[in-house]
Amino acid sequence: MTTMFRKALNALPRLGVQVVDLGPGAAVISRRGRYSATKVSADAWMVGGGRRSTRAPAEGWGLRKAAASSLCARHVADFLANYEVNCVFDVGANRGQYGRQLRESGYRGRIVSFEPVPDALARLRKAAERDPDWWVRPVALGRSESVQSMHLGWKTMNSLLEPSAYGQQRYKRFADTRTTQVQVRRLDKVMDEALHGIANPRPFLKMDTQGFDMEVFAGAGERLDEYVGMQSEVAALQLYEGSPHMTEALAAYEEAGFGITGLYPVTREETTGRVVEFDCVLARVSSVPGSAAGVRP
């Protein structure tokens, strides 16, 4: 039996209205422009639209990037729930995008965000100010306790590393930079404070530090074993001098006892299709709750 909703949808194109049917009870309706929709999970669609472009059509790189980002966010949300994570170390927090995403996806545990860049730090503090279990720390993390020069003016790509020749060719923003001195702490030196008050800590480490993730990872020292999972931005193409290739990073993570659970493209070259960076989500399989592998002393 055809419902009134379905009859209405069928009639609208004759009136010059575009209809993208998403299934029972859902549709995208527009009098102008062209829209497309991609199903990114069982209960979510990614809708792109506007005028078509020969450079980035709605169903091209932009939509695929958005779909990958949405899938990664859902993957992380499910991971945090399945592994009973109660503290997320958000390293390279920028303006708080990741923390807001965690809250929107339903995570209610503690978030400890690390961000040393003054402008981003101010916006991060604003994002977290009404959330008592979202803590902000104005420092960078790395291999050693030190003071280092941070490159600014690169928007979300500020880094403790210099841009590579490839990075300079790809991003014009790298041509104009200034630096500021930032405090760098070791991860193992800040964990006790971050986990204070949590009876049975099950931390998750998220790193998005523009080529510096392996340095953050090294700073965990022997306390790395306490993490049940992690997320790292790994590079297939080098944007920063001294940053590791993804094969090197993944080998180190796996050597430390983590296994890949998801790999999602972050950016890619539009002309060649090569992926520049991936978001990689990893689990310490021995920490799975409720399984023989997850039994802890």
Side-chain angles (χ1 to χ4, degrees), residues 4 9 15 17-18 25 52 89 97 121 124 160 171-172 174 185-186 206-207 217 227-228 242 253 256 259 262 297:
M4 289 299 297
L9 290 187
L15 302 177
V17 177
Q18 180 197 342
R52 290 186 178 273
F89 286 73
Q97 302 96 310
L121 177 62
L124 171 62
L160 287 162
Y171 291 107
K172 293 181 179 179
F174 286 151
R185 302 289 313 277
R186 279 180 58 93
K206 167 265 180 180
M207 299 177 290
F217 183 75
Y227 288 88
V228 302
Y253 298 156

Side-chain angles (χ1 to χ4, degrees), residues 115-277:
E115 177 54 56
V117 177
D119 291 346
L121 177 62
R123 297 180 68 174
L124 171 62
R125 282 175 165 154
K126 183 71 174 177
E129 64 181 354
R130 296 186 178 181
D131 189 331
D133 219 11
W134 184 354
W135 300 0
V136 175
R137 297 295 179 262
V139 298
L141 296 183
R143 184 182 298 267
S144 62
E145 301 265 307
S146 60
V147 174
Q148 298 187 35
S149 293
M150 171 76 76
H151 297 274
L152 308 182
W154 299 344
K155 300 180 180 178
T156 59
M157 299 179 71
N158 297 324
S159 179
L160 287 162
L161 301 176
E162 298 274 357
S164 67
Y166 172 76
Q168 293 179 66
Q169 178 271 325
R170 179 174 173 82
Y171 291 107
K172 293 181 179 179
R173 70 185 69 175
F174 286 151
D176 183 20
T177 186
R178 54 191 172 87
T179 61
T180 189
Q181 298 296 102
V182 300
Q183 184 183 11
V184 180
R185 302 289 313 277
R186 279 180 58 93
L187 183 55
D188 56 8
K189 299 298 185 183
V190 301
M191 286 179 60
D192 285 341
E193 180 198 9
L195 297 172
H196 180 72
I198 300 177
N200 180 29
R202 294 182 61 79
F204 179 87
L205 174 61
K206 167 265 180 180
M207 299 177 290
D208 184 0
T209 60
Q210 306 307 310
F212 213 66
D213 286 13
M214 284 288 289
E215 298 297 298
V216 176
F217 183 75
E222 295 181 357
R223 301 199 65 177
L224 191 62
D225 291 345
E226 298 177 34
Y227 288 88
V228 302
M230 56 183 287
Q231 179 178 346
S232 175
E233 192 172 75
V234 296
L237 298 172
Q238 187 185 53
L239 294 175
Y240 303 92
E241 285 295 332
S243 62
H245 188 270
M246 62 180 293
T247 53
E248 180 184 345
L250 294 179
Y253 298 156
E254 291 182 334
E255 177 67 21
F258 294 93
I260 298 171
T261 65
L263 203 60
Y264 302 91
V266 176
T267 53
R268 68 170 77 225
E269 296 178 334
E270 292 182 8
T271 54
T272 69
R274 294 190 303 175
V275 175
V276 180
E277 295 169 309

Side-chain angles (χ1 to χ4, degrees), residues 3-62:
T3 64
M4 289 299 297
F5 174 79
R6 192 65 52 195
K7 289 179 180 178
L9 290 187
N10 293 338
L12 287 174
R14 295 196 293 271
L15 302 177
V17 177
Q18 180 197 342
V19 175
V20 180
D21 190 351
L22 303 184
V28 178
I29 300 172
S30 174
R31 296 188 66 89
R32 296 181 180 180
R34 295 178 62 85
Y35 289 83
S36 62
T38 300
K39 196 166 188 176
V40 296
S41 69
D43 57 357
W45 291 80
M46 185 67 62
V47 178
R51 295 182 178 178
R52 290 186 178 273
S53 164
T54 57
R55 186 165 179 267
E59 63 272 19
W61 302 133

